[in-house]
Amino acid sequence: MFEARFPQRIICLTEEGTEILYAIGEEHRLVGISGFTRRPPKARKEKPKVSNFIDANFDKILELQPDLVVGYSDLQRDIASELIKNGINVFIFNHRSINETLGMILQFSALIGNEKQGKMLVEQYISNLNSAKEFAKSFPYRPRVFFEEWNDPLISSIQWVSELIEICGGELCFPEIADKSLGKDRILDPDLVIERNPDIIIGSWCGKKFKPEKVKARKGWENINAIKNNQLYEIKSEIILQPGPACLTDGIKDIQKIYRSYFQRISNAF
């Protein structure tokens, strides 16, 4: 008997694929995840961990007999190459913008035979984005925002984060590098941040806790409005630096909370 089937044993090398599968009710097909996975919390308890971001346990992956491995970014090319050599079907996404992230959700869902559920999920996230844009219209002005993705060297926000900062009602301090996909192209001289004088500083140091006291101690940064007014905030990297469901849900909410807090503090100061 001949039979055509969509993938039934899926491994996700990054968190966004895992969160999508849970969001569309197909987590039973997920047989392996990244060790960096935090969302949803039960995935970490239920599913075997087979990789970090740039390394993988190939023996464990092969034992799990996946019929599809899904990853993200050119940084996972070596993992993909090794798996392909072993006869595994691999799909690597490389999305950087909000629109590309929405497209990834559609593509991944269609790839596994769940196009309808993917479309419904995308519609929900588009609604979140439109609501955020509408909410921002109530602000008296757009505060200048510096998003710090890494501290040494100093790296500004990747594209989807920059877009969310603007969608939610902020003004980017460094719009000229907002669409640069590589971290090396978003490295900044700390003196430039002083010159741009952000009203808000948001930190999300990928993989480690943001330290506001270290930011405040930088030479000359005491003159920045965000420092003078104590407008330093952290968003956890698994929420904002994951180009998938996290940033389109809780990422938006966290940015909005920061903006509300900013305007409340500023109004109370006068």
Side-chain angles (χ1 to χ4, degrees):
M1 179 68 69
F2 298 107
E3 183 182 11
R5 302 180 73 198
F6 287 102
Q8 299 300 311
R9 297 184 61 80
I10 303 168
I11 287 176
C12 292
L13 299 175
T14 52
E15 186 176 77
E16 62 271 11
T18 293
E19 193 166 7
I20 290 166
L21 285 174
Y22 275 85
I24 63 175
E26 294 295 325
E27 65 271 20
H28 59 280
R29 294 155 74 180
L30 181 63
V31 298
I33 63 172
S34 164
F36 289 149
T37 299
R38 295 290 183 273
R39 296 170 60 94
K42 61 181 176 180
R44 190 170 181 82
K45 300 176 182 178
E46 297 173 345
K47 305 297 181 178
K49 302 168 193 66
V50 301
S51 66
N52 59 33
F53 191 61
I54 58 174
D55 296 301
N57 186 331
F58 295 109
D59 290 339
K60 194 168 186 178
I61 291 174
L62 294 175
E63 286 174 10
L64 290 168
Q65 298 182 318
D67 46 19
L68 177 65
V69 174
V70 177
Y72 168 68
S73 160
D74 54 292
L75 294 176
Q76 294 194 325
R77 60 185 177 274
D78 292 339
I79 298 177
S81 177
E82 186 63 28
L83 291 174
I84 291 168
K85 288 177 186 176
N86 282 277
I88 304 296
N89 295 321
V90 180
F91 198 107
I92 300 292
F93 291 96
N94 213 15
H95 49 293
R96 294 291 194 278
S97 69
I98 295 297
N99 282 337
E100 288 171 350
T101 298
L102 295 170
M104 176 268 177
I105 295 168
L106 278 184
Q107 292 166 35
F108 180 36
S109 301
L111 184 65
I112 62 172
N114 294 87
E115 185 176 3
K116 181 179 178 181
Q117 293 92 327
K119 285 182 177 178
M120 291 173 63
L121 203 58
V122 165
E123 288 171 1
Q124 175 187 326
Y125 297 152
I126 290 175
S127 177
N128 290 348
L129 291 162
N130 285 331
S131 294
K133 287 187 73 172
E134 192 63 30
F135 180 78
K137 292 179 181 178
S138 65
F139 296 165
Y141 60 91
R142 299 175 72 89
R144 292 185 304 278
V145 181
F146 173 58
F147 185 100
E148 185 169 315
E149 188 177 305
W150 194 246
N151 63 315
D152 187 20
L154 192 63
I155 299 179
S156 185
S157 53
I158 198 166
Q159 185 172 354
W160 71 81
V161 178
S162 296
E163 290 175 341
L164 286 176
I165 286 169
E166 291 188 307
I167 288 166
C168 292
E171 178 185 329
L172 292 172
C173 275
F174 298 96
E176 67 272 21
I177 57 172
D179 63 349
K180 303 297 183 184
S181 62
L182 301 179
K184 68 181 182 66
D185 295 326
R186 290 179 278 111
I187 294 176
L188 295 167
D189 183 329
D191 287 345
L192 288 176
V193 182
I194 300 172
E195 291 177 15
R196 300 291 173 96
N197 194 20
D199 299 305
I200 297 170
I201 294 174
I202 302 174
S204 189
W205 295 349
C206 188
K208 65 179 182 179
K209 186 171 177 58
F210 177 62
K211 302 285 188 180
E213 64 273 15
K214 290 188 176 182
V215 176
K216 292 177 181 179
R218 291 171 184 161
K219 183 179 179 181
W221 281 44
E222 68 274 6
N223 297 313
I224 294 174
N225 284 343
I227 305 292
K228 290 190 290 186
N229 297 317
N230 198 30
Q231 293 290 326
L232 290 86
Y233 302 87
E234 179 183 21
I235 299 179
K236 291 182 179 179
S237 56
E238 63 263 28
I239 291 175
I240 197 66
L241 296 182
Q242 182 236 88
C247 73
L248 299 174
T249 53
D250 290 342
I252 289 174
K253 290 177 183 177
D254 278 10
I255 294 172
Q256 289 178 321
K257 286 178 185 176
I258 288 169
Y259 291 173
R260 283 196 295 267
S261 177
Y262 165 78
F263 283 115
Q264 184 175 11
R265 289 188 187 182
I266 291 299
S267 64
N268 288 340
F270 294 98

